[in-house]
Structures are given as structure tokens and as C-alpha cells.
């Protein structure tokens, strides 16, 4: 049975996509959609549950945290021009954090003859998406109810495709409230799903395998690998295969801190001594490979001459010119565009296939790295002991006290890297325990993202911090 109004069709499309929640701060420009979420019912599947927020920036941050915890889309609905301006900081956070968020909005009637005096005029833009176009993957303002299915399906696929990111869809209030006088078929979501993950060129994988197998002092730098739990397990397998130390740069939990090859904390020494460096999903590869003078801000290479750099990233696909979130361009010997979830198993398999690494070198390196791992953790424990009685309370003690309260619970650290102390003092022994930072450095992310991340765990006993 066809939907009765345009906004009813939007709700049906959200249900087709399996969307369970929407976050919103109520506004008149999407009054039709709000009404449909409350009153319109179709089929046995319940409408998405509304998470009521007191600010649009909070609504988007809730959706941001939910997506990082689940890998699924949660629309955030914002009120025309003013709500979109409120939401813009949170949208930028999601953009920098490569997180899929579907931001939806309404606009006053584009047909000016239907606008109420004053209010509809100041809350209507020619193309509302212009406000955020420089930091979303795509925006659309479909005209006519018949265009809704294509707009929503395309927005979903673009947001969810690698690398993930926010999209913005704006629906004219007149179209939301327009009666539907003919059947508009609902699309099959399986035919609009994101494409398979990108894989690197086979010759490049072979070259990377050769470089790592022949290296005496290889190092892995990982930043966003942990957005996928399987990729973390594949990274552990690769590191174990060649006894390669891993530096976790912290955008997600990329490598267990209990693993003897986690050498986070010896970054400078390892990078200075490396002959091959493998960067994986790095936000700022250049920054990791230089030393910066704190007074002059001048940078000099932190690597030794002849060090080969391999870089595997998806960031090149979403570079925009408005902001410099792309960071300084790093010189790289072997660049690859690939999803690390599929790249890492392929690289490990190629290394095994070639079989050119020295088992004795690998075993000696394993013992040396394990000793350094133990030294790092002993130093952190010593720092904790040294700062235990500081007033006001020192960050390491606060992190430790929270850990003492949490360690027997089922927990998830959503936000709050807390100067790195949880990653040093807590037991991070499996993927998915830490969801990383806010992305764009904007305030307000943590509390709202924690609400969003906790939604799928309601009633389970999991504690989201």
C-alpha cells in the first residue's frame, strides 16, 4: 500500500534500510517527518525510535557515536538553516573521523508563494547544503516526492561506502506534507548497498611483502585500522608473522596493548631506526615521520636515510580544498589505496607465499620487542606510582581508579583518550574496546557520542564510558 504523504514515504524508506533510531531536535521545517515518525505505521516493522536532543550538534554527535559503535547509519534530523548551522561542528567532526552519518533536514517552501511571512523566509535557502558542502561526502535537495527514494538510497550508499562520512539530505516541507496520489514502489536495499572494499593492486602487495620480509627493522604505524574489528585481528596476525613492532596512533584501538609487539611509547626510537615503515590508515603520516622543533615549528625527518615508506590509506579519495584536514603531504615509496580489512590478510598471505623472511631474524626480533614492551609498561607503572599523591589528582591516577572500578565489568570506552592513560594502564586485549576521538577537534562530542554508542547496548549490562 502506498504511503499517504511524502513524509510517510521517508519513514518507509528508513525502515527498508533497517534504521532503528533517529536523533532530532524538533523543528517546524520537518514537522511532516516528525509527525510521520510518531503517527504513521506501515507493516510489522516499528518506526525508527526518536532520540530527542536539546541541540542539533548533540543530535549529530549521538548519530556519530552510534555509527562508530555499530557500523550502522543513524539519521540526525536538523531544522532548516539554523539547525544546520548548529549541527555544522558535529558534521565536521564526523567528516574528519570518517564516520557515516545521514544528516536530514527540512526547508521552508521553495515555492515562495507558500511561505509564511518572515519565519519561512529567514529559514529557507536556495540550496541549503551549501552550508556544509565542503565537509560532507554528498548533499541533495530533491524536488518532488517521487525523487525521495533515489535521494535516500544514494545518500545511504555514499555515506556507508569507504571511507565513510556524513551526507546531508534536505526535504522541502511542502513535499513532506504532499499527498501521494499514486504508488511509489519501495526499493530493494540489497540493490543499493555499498560496493565491496577496495583492494590494492596485486603487484603493489607483492612489493610490500618483499620489502617487509627483507627488512631488519620494520615498523607498523596504525591509526584508523580499528574501525573494523577484523582488521585489528589481521594486523595482529601480520605483526606476529614477521615480529613487526606496532605503534598505535590512537584514532581507534588498533592493536592490543597487552601484545608484546605493541611498542607504542617508543615511537621516536623505532621510527629513527626503521628501514621499512608501513603506514596503515594514517591521519597524519607526515607528522609521524618528522620531528618538530617546539620553538621554531620547523620539521626535520625522523627517519634515517634510505628508509622505505609504504602507505595504505583511503584518505586520498575524500580530499577537499576548503579545510586542511588532509595534513602535510608525506613522501612515500609505495602508495596504495585500499581498505585495510582486505589488504592486511592479502599482504600476510603474500608474505607466506614468498617465504623469503629469515625465521631466526624474526625470532630474535620477537624477543627484543617483548623486552622493550615490558620496559615501556614498567615505566608507565612507575609514572603512576610517582604521581599517585598529586593534588589535584593526576591523570594517570584518575585513569587507574576508573579502571579499578570497571575492570570486572563489560565496558566500552566511547570517548576520552585522557592523555593516553587508559591505553597505557587499562587492559585493551581485544578489538572494539575504544572508539577513538572526536575527529575534528570540536567541543561537545563526548557526552552525546556516548549516548549514541550506548543505544545498541541498552539492557545488556555493558557500561559505556
Amino acid at each position: 500500500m502506498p504511503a499517504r504523504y511524502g513524509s510517510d514515504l521517508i519513514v518507509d524508506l528508513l525502515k527498508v534500510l533497517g534504521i532503528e533510531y533517529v536523533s532530532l531536535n524538533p523543528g517546524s521545517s520537518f514537522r511532516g517527518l516528525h509527525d510521520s515518525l510518531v503517527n504513521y505505521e506501515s507493516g510489522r516493522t516499528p518506526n525508527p525510535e526518536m532520540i530527542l536532543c536539546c541541540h542539533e550538534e548533540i543530535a549529530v554527535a549521538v548519530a556519530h557515536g552510534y555509527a562508530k559503535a555499530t557500523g550502522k547509519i543513524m539519521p540526525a534530523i536538523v531544522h532548516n538553516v539554523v539547525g544546520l548551522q548548529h549541527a555544522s561542528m558535529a558534521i565536521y567532526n564526523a567528516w574528519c573521523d570518517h564516520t557515516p552519518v545521514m544528516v536530514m533536514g527540512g526547508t521552508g517552501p521553495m515555492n515562495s508563494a507558500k511561505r509564511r511571512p518572515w519565519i519561512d523566509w529567514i529559514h529557507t535557502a536556495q540550496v541549503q547544503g551549501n552550508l556544509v558542502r565542503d565537509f560532507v561526502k554528498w548533499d541533495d535537495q530533491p524536488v518532488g516526492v517521487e525523487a525521495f527514494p533515489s535521494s535516500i538510497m544514494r545518500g545511504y550508499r555514499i555515506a556507508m561506502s569507504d571511507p565513510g562520512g556524513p551526507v546531508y539530505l534536505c526535504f522541502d516541507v511542502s513535499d513532506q506534507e504532499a499527498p501521494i496520489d499514486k504508488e511509489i514502489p519501495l526499493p530493494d536495499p540489497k540493490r543499493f548497498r555499498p560496493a565491496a572494499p577496495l583492494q590494492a593492486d596485486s603487484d603493489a602487495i607483492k612489493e610490500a611483502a618483499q620489502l617487509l620480509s627483507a627488512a631488519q627493522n620494520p615498523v607498523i604505524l596504525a591509526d584508523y585500522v580499528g574501525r573494523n574489528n577484523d582488521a585489528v585481528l589481521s594486523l595482529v596476525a601480520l605483526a606476529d608473522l614477521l615480529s613487526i613492532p606496532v605503534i598505535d596512533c590512537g584514532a581507534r584501538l588498533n592493536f592490543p596493548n597487552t601484545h608484546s609487539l605493541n611498542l607504542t611509547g617508543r615511537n621516536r626510537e623505532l621510527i629513527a631506526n626503521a628501514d621499512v615503515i608501513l603506514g596503515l590508515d594514517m591521519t597524519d603520516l607526515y607528522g609521524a615521520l618528522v620531528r618538530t622543533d617546539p620553538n621554531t615549528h620547523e620539521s626535520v625527518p625522523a627517519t634515517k636515510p634510505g628508509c622505505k615508506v609504504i602507505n595504505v590509506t583511503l584518505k586520498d579519495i575524500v580530499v577537499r580544498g576548503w579545510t586542511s584536514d588532509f595534513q602535510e603531504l608525506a613522501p612515500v615509496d609505495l602508495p596504495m589505496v585500499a581498505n585495510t580489512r582486505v589488504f592486511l590478510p592479502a599482504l600476510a598471505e603474500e608474505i607466506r607465499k614468498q617465504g623469503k623472511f629469515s625465521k631466526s631474524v624474526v625470532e630474535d626480533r620477537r624477543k627484543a620487542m617483548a623486552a622493550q614492551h615490558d620496559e615501556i609498561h614498567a615505566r608507565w607503572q612507575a609514572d603512576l606510582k610517582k604521581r599517585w599523591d598529586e593534588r589535584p589528582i593526576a591523570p594517570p591516577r584518575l585513569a587507574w581508579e576508573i579502571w579499578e572500578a570497571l575492570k570486572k565489568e563489560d565496558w566500552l570506552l566511547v570517548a576520552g583518550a585522557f592523555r593516553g592513560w587508559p591505553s597505557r594502564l587499562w587492559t585493551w586485549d581485544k578489538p572494539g574496546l575504544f572508539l577513538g576521538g572526536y575527529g575534528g577537534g570540536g567541543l561537545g562530542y563526548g557526552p552525546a557520542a556516548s549516548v549514541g554508542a550506548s543505544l545498541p547496548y541498552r539492557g545488556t549490562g555493558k557500561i559505556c564510558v
Side-chain angles (χ1 to χ4, degrees), residues 156-200:
Y156 174 82
R157 184 165 69 182
I158 290 173
M160 292 292 287
S161 296
D162 287 329
V167 297
Y168 174 65
L169 309 178
C170 181
F171 303 98
D172 190 316
V173 69
S174 299
D175 287 339
Q176 292 177 52
E177 298 174 358
I180 296 177
D181 54 11
K182 63 180 180 180
E183 182 176 357
I184 299 177
L186 295 175
D188 178 358
K190 294 179 182 178
R191 304 190 70 187
F192 297 92
R193 67 186 186 273
L198 280 169
Q199 181 59 289

Side-chain angles (χ1 to χ4, degrees), residues 384 387 390 392-400 418-419 421-422 425:
L384 170 64
R387 302 186 64 184
E390 284 186 13
I393 188 170
R397 179 173 179 180
L398 183 55
W400 179 260
F418 208 63
R419 303 183 187 178
W421 283 106
L425 301 177

Side-chain angles (χ1 to χ4, degrees), residues 197-337:
L198 280 169
Q199 181 59 289
D201 174 74
S202 59
D203 288 341
I205 294 174
K206 291 176 182 178
E207 185 177 351
Q210 292 167 359
L211 287 169
L212 289 168
S213 295
Q216 294 298 306
N217 297 295
V219 175
I220 295 174
L221 309 177
D223 204 11
Y224 271 91
V225 175
R227 72 187 186 281
N228 183 278
N229 291 347
D230 290 340
V232 174
L233 300 178
S234 296
L235 178 55
V236 171
L238 174 65
D240 280 337
L241 180 61
L242 294 179
S243 298
I244 306 176
V246 177
I247 296 172
D248 189 333
C249 296
R252 297 289 190 273
L253 193 168
N254 300 293
F255 201 78
N257 67 0
T258 54
H259 197 291
S260 61
L261 290 172
N262 187 324
L263 271 290
T264 310
R266 285 187 60 85
N267 304 25
R268 174 173 288 195
E269 298 89 339
L270 288 170
I271 290 171
N273 194 43
D275 51 1
V276 175
I277 294 174
L278 171 61
L280 299 172
D281 293 323
M282 290 294 293
T283 301
D284 184 12
L285 180 63
Y286 177 87
L289 301 181
V290 300
R291 295 194 314 274
T292 304
D293 187 298
N295 298 315
T296 66
H297 302 291
E298 293 181 354
S299 298
V300 296
T303 55
K304 65 183 181 182
C307 175
K308 298 292 186 181
V309 178
I310 307 165
N311 189 36
V312 183
T313 183
L314 292 169
K315 283 184 69 67
D316 290 346
I317 300 176
V318 287
V319 170
R320 295 287 181 86
W322 177 72
T323 182
S324 300
D325 64 297
F326 44 75
Q327 305 294 326
E328 177 61 271
L329 186 64
V332 170
D333 299 284
L334 181 56
M336 284 180 270
V337 176

